[in-house]
Amino acid sequence: MSKAFTRETDSDDDEDLALPPLPAGARNYITGQGYQRLRDELLGLIDVERPKIVDIVHWAASNGDRSENGDYLYGKKRLREIDRRIRFLTKRLEIAEVTDPSVHHGNDQVFFGATVTYEDEQGQQRTVTILGIDEADSAQQQVSWVSPVARALLKAREGDVVKLITPSGPVDIEILQVRYPAPSTTAV
């Protein structure tokens, strides 16, 4: 049977909606900047990207034979991707708990939003910032607060030695420095 005559379903698309795991009963912590980034992406998809693709699909559908119409087929696929991302972002924003890490400014204990410099047993130093699941970017030395390294660091203080469980076995790491962003002085 030709693929042109099979019904496309969104049921396969919903499998991609599986949210990254949160600890049972935990909240989806996120910084204000991370929340705003997700919200801007959602509004951009709804207000700009989706209407543009809908116009393309409408134009392509008016050209006739849809089975071999690349603009129509690609447009429909892109619309499904956009709709899936809109549903994902909507769910994530609904459960997000915006947290301001600057309230801990000057504190030496590790909490959400901290930038931590630590040293492993081989003397190698690393600096990571502990952020929310939806905003952490490993290329920027950011880790999710549910990651193994963040879980080992949370609640510890400067000078503490904590045990990090790695695939090759436990490793002791020493916390050298804990920093938080300075409180904003702009009035809202």
Side-chain angles (χ1 to χ4, degrees):
M1 176 178 224
S2 170
K3 269 192 117 174
F5 298 107
T6 59
R7 179 176 165 84
E8 295 179 5
T9 63
D10 288 335
S11 62
D12 293 337
D13 295 341
D14 290 337
E15 291 173 10
D16 294 338
L17 284 179
L19 305 176
L22 287 170
R27 296 189 168 100
N28 184 28
Y29 295 110
I30 191 168
T31 62
Q33 297 89 344
Y35 184 88
Q36 191 59 45
R37 247 187 331 269
L38 291 180
R39 190 172 182 281
D40 290 347
E41 180 184 354
L42 175 64
L43 294 177
L45 287 172
I46 292 171
D47 296 338
V48 178
E49 186 74 18
R50 192 174 195 290
K52 188 184 331 177
I53 300 298
V54 166
D55 288 343
I56 291 171
V57 169
H58 176 71
W59 168 81
S62 68
N63 288 337
D65 185 15
R66 297 176 186 172
S67 65
E68 294 182 12
N69 186 332
D71 289 328
Y72 177 80
L73 295 174
Y74 173 76
K76 292 291 282 183
K77 179 181 179 196
R78 181 70 183 128
L79 269 178
R80 284 192 305 275
E81 292 168 355
I82 290 170
D83 289 342
R84 181 177 36 229
R85 185 69 179 164
I86 287 172
R87 285 190 310 268
F88 175 82
L89 290 172
T90 301
K91 287 181 181 184
R92 291 309 260 206
L93 290 172
E94 285 173 358
I95 63 170
E97 184 165 321
V98 179
T99 304
D100 181 12
S102 69
V103 299
H104 298 293
H105 183 71
N107 196 341
D108 71 342
Q109 190 171 12
V110 181
F111 295 109
F112 179 84
T115 299
V116 182
T117 301
Y118 65 90
E119 184 176 82
D120 63 16
E121 295 168 338
Q122 286 76 37
Q124 187 175 22
Q125 289 188 11
R126 291 193 178 92
T127 300
V128 295
T129 302
I130 301 171
L131 296 175
I133 291 172
D134 298 316
E135 61 185 329
D137 180 4
S138 60
Q140 301 292 320
Q141 286 75 42
Q142 300 169 343
V143 296
S144 162
W145 68 276
V146 296
S147 68
V149 69
R151 304 300 302 269
L153 294 171
L154 285 170
K155 306 268 176 111
R157 294 184 179 278
E158 282 183 13
D160 286 355
V161 176
V162 295
K163 197 165 291 298
L164 172 62
I165 307 301
T166 67
S168 59
V171 175
D172 287 335
I173 57 175
E174 180 182 0
I175 300 171
L176 302 176
Q177 184 181 32
V178 178
R179 295 184 320 270
Y180 291 94
S184 168
T185 57
T186 57
V188 178

